[in-house]
Amino acid sequence: MPLTAVARLEERTGPTQIDRYNRQRQITVNATPDGLPLGEAIAAVRQKSAELNMKPGYGLVFSGNAKQLT
């Protein structure tokens, strides 16, 4: 499934700094699951992130309402 099937991508400028979480570099992705229950959106994100086969040391951390459901 292409990302464009479930997301609208917008290129924007960002801060010129390195953000960290628990002393590790991080990126933040904000999303609003339009019409999709949050639990289903979380499951889809987990499935897609597992397919990325990230190298050791990389991972996924939920925040906000998604963190409360996990």
Side-chain angles (χ1 to χ4, degrees):
M1 172 185 303
L3 183 59
T4 54
V6 296
R8 182 184 69 232
L9 305 177
E10 296 178 9
E11 187 173 332
R12 297 183 179 184
T13 58
T16 55
Q17 67 186 32
I18 296 173
D19 293 326
R20 297 186 183 279
Y21 177 81
N22 288 338
R23 303 177 80 189
Q24 295 181 350
R25 288 183 179 199
Q26 75 168 10
I27 63 166
T28 302
V29 177
N30 296 310
T32 303
D34 189 29
L36 184 66
L38 184 56
E40 290 181 30
I42 292 169
V45 168
R46 284 197 167 140
Q47 178 185 353
K48 290 298 177 184
S49 68
E51 293 172 10
L52 293 175
N53 297 318
M54 292 184 270
K55 294 181 180 180
Y58 290 83
L60 178 68
V61 176
F62 289 99
S63 64
N65 291 338
K67 183 176 183 178
Q68 294 175 354
L69 287 178
T70 58

